[in-house]
Amino acid sequence: MSDQERNIVATGLALPSGLSRRVFLQLAGAAGVSLAMTPAVSRMAEAAEIVRGKIANQVSTPANDYWSVWTRAFGDAAKALDLPTQELFHQNDTARQLAQVRSLPASQAKMLIGCVEPAGSLPTVARFCQDSSIFYVPSWESPAWFTPPDIGDYYVSFVTPNSIEGAYEVAKALFESIGGEGKVVHIAGMATPTDTYRTLGLMQAAKEFPGIQIVGGLRANWDREQARKVMLSMVTAHPDMKAVFAQNDNMALGVLSVLRERKLTNVKVSGVDGLPEGLKEVAKGEQMVATHTSLPPYGAGFTTVLAFDALNGWKPTLGERLLFTGSALATAENAAKIEAAIYGKDSKPFDWALMSRALNPETWDPQNKITAIDPDTYWAPFPDGKDRLNPVYKGAAERGEFSKIDALYAAHYKTGPVKA
């Protein structure tokens, strides 16, 4: 490459947008400048074709610790991809949620991520996005047997951690911390599919410990203060409890505050989500013995990247329309390391641009374990309505639709803060 070509390429790559780079290439050609197709020129040409647009994030409220972390990561990922953003908070109000979604075309949003409440509102939101040409990648909550192929290409993928697996691993760690026997108070979250899956994980673990007795089961709706109220009643009802399984970190922290006030320092606690405060408690090696980090920053960023890639022409295969994101058990042995890697000062655990197939067609790296969801397995706890499953999934497992996605993402998974 000549010095002239090097200077032209350097100038082109420094331009802030695909449109600017595209115009630059056109002007260079019009001026009679011929650029050899080197890797640098190829990158500039690819960058010139990248489409960008506004992306919206809709979750319940930033007052919830989980969604606060999620929303910050959404902003970081969008910035890395050079996307303007819009933040929407539905406060678990269905009417408000739908009104916000219907306002997206007026704000010129091209993509949407987030989490609906209740799960039953997902088809309405997905259909509106399809009709409005808005690429949609929701997380966590979906009605059973409802899949992206039911709607169309604009419902890109549904993405969630494996809540049964996470709860199962946490419950086992909790039971082991009390010697495998005793009364364990169960504090449930909001009545959602995720909460059902976490309860199933708890009960699956309990079957392996015949000396464990599960009691309680009252709901605290993912809220710390509500968990305090529930725990105050449990202290009276079950003074001989050995441990408390709370179905998220927020509720676990509310439980801890009551136990400390009552000086019940021998009662062990576990949570789920792996938020910074929960990880710090686990790292102390005291009462909170485990949590499972569902990596909320990753969930926000990964779904942002999927929406961005879809905007730029990527079409997921059938096995990519429903995806599990990896999560990790955190105990006293590794909680501090996980907290520092994900939430530490100045930490940048994920390279959002590297995650994108639009930006890195050959070298994209998901930076976490990603596996395909087989809907027959995932929704097996909800047998009613199985006949509604889209017929495109018939024989999908036998055809290797899911296993080939597991292998594809495993092959590209090179880096990341929880990679073994």
Side-chain angles (χ1 to χ4, degrees):
M1 181 183 287
S2 68
D3 289 342
Q4 180 193 40
E5 287 176 326
R6 287 193 187 92
N7 291 335
I8 290 172
V9 169
T11 302
L13 289 173
L15 292 171
S17 71
L19 177 61
S20 299
R21 285 186 286 268
R22 187 157 54 246
V23 172
F24 181 83
L25 285 171
Q26 292 169 349
L27 291 174
V33 177
S34 177
L35 298 177
M37 192 51 66
T38 63
V41 174
S42 296
R43 286 199 307 274
M44 185 167 69
E46 289 168 3
E49 299 305 318
I50 291 299
V51 178
R52 288 181 167 82
K54 181 182 287 186
I55 184 166
N57 170 50
Q58 186 188 47
V59 295
S60 61
T61 170
N64 176 290
D65 289 349
Y66 183 95
W67 296 121
S68 175
V69 169
W70 170 289
T71 299
R72 287 198 299 274
F74 161 72
D76 291 341
K79 182 177 180 181
L81 299 173
D82 194 22
L83 303 175
T85 62
Q86 181 176 3
E87 294 180 356
L88 305 169
F89 302 109
H90 55 63
Q91 309 290 341
N92 297 325
D93 181 322
T94 303
R96 180 186 180 98
Q97 174 179 259
L98 296 178
Q100 289 175 342
V101 170
R102 290 180 180 125
S103 73
L104 290 175
S107 70
Q108 298 185 321
K110 300 298 183 184
M111 298 161 281
L112 174 65
I113 69 162
C115 177
V116 299
E117 174 55 39
S121 63
L122 182 61
T124 301
V125 175
R127 173 57 63 189
F128 182 84
C129 288
Q130 177 71 25
D131 293 344
S132 304
S133 301
I134 295 170
F135 291 100
Y136 184 37
V137 189
S139 294
W140 285 109
E141 309 298 353
S142 172
W145 311 109
F146 175 70
T147 66
D150 297 342
I151 294 296
D153 289 346
Y154 284 92
Y155 182 5
V156 180
S157 301
F158 171 73
V159 178
T160 185
N162 189 331
S163 291
I164 293 180
E165 179 181 85
Y168 168 78
E169 292 182 1
V170 167
K172 284 189 66 174
L174 180 66
F175 299 160
E176 289 166 0
S177 77
I178 58 173
E181 59 182 23
K183 189 178 288 187
V184 177
V185 168
H186 171 216
I187 298 184
M190 192 174 286
T192 63
T194 294
D195 187 73
T196 298
Y197 287 128
R198 289 181 180 177
T199 298
L200 288 169
L202 166 67
M203 297 307 180
Q204 180 181 330
K207 290 178 181 177
E208 300 177 15
F209 293 81
I212 292 292
Q213 179 188 2
I214 305 295
V215 298
L218 296 180
R219 296 196 179 280
N221 297 317
W222 313 124
D223 183 76
R224 190 178 306 203
E225 285 305 312
Q226 290 188 49
R228 278 185 52 83
K229 294 175 183 177
V230 169
M231 195 58 206
L232 287 169
S233 68
M234 291 294 99
V235 167
T236 301
H238 303 286
D240 56 342
M241 74 179 77
K242 291 284 191 68
V244 180
F245 181 91
Q247 295 202 167
N248 77 347
D249 283 0
N250 241 359
M251 297 189 299
L253 293 166
V255 166
L256 272 176
S257 68
V258 170
L259 293 175
R260 287 169 177 165
E261 288 170 7
R262 298 300 179 95
K263 296 183 168 47
L264 298 172
T265 55
N266 292 326
V267 177
K268 302 299 184 182
V269 179
S270 67
V272 182
D273 282 340
L275 296 176
E277 194 175 352
L279 288 167
K280 288 175 181 176
E281 281 292 341
V282 172
K284 293 176 183 177
E286 299 174 351
Q287 278 186 273
M288 190 164 171
V289 300
T291 184
H292 214 277
T293 177
S294 57
L295 302 174
Y298 184 84
F302 180 63
T303 52
T304 296
V305 170
L306 291 186
F308 170 75
D309 284 351
L311 180 69
N312 280 278
W314 170 69
K315 291 187 180 297
T317 65
L318 182 63
E320 292 172 294
R321 304 302 292 273
L322 303 168
L323 293 172
F324 277 139
T325 54
S327 55
L329 177 67
T331 63
E333 287 70 34
N334 65 350
K337 182 179 179 181
I338 292 174
E339 195 277 331
I342 305 297
Y343 303 109
K345 184 180 179 182
D346 300 324
S347 67
K348 294 183 178 180
F350 303 107
D351 183 336
W352 305 118
L354 180 60
M355 208 173 283
S356 166
R357 272 175 277 200
L359 298 177
N360 308 279
E362 302 299 328
T363 59
W364 60 275
D365 182 350
Q367 299 161 60
N368 192 8
K369 181 181 179 181
I370 302 294
T371 54
I373 296 175
D374 181 340
D376 282 310
T377 302
Y378 183 60
W379 283 308
F382 307 94
D384 291 346
K386 183 177 179 179
D387 58 330
R388 296 196 302 268
L389 181 62
N390 195 297
V392 298
Y393 285 99
K394 185 176 181 179
E398 293 75 13
R399 296 194 304 271
E401 295 285 355
F402 310 127
S403 60
K404 69 183 180 184
I405 295 308
D406 296 350
L408 173 67
Y409 281 81
H412 279 268
Y413 181 13
K414 304 294 186 184
T415 63
V418 294
K419 185 173 176 62

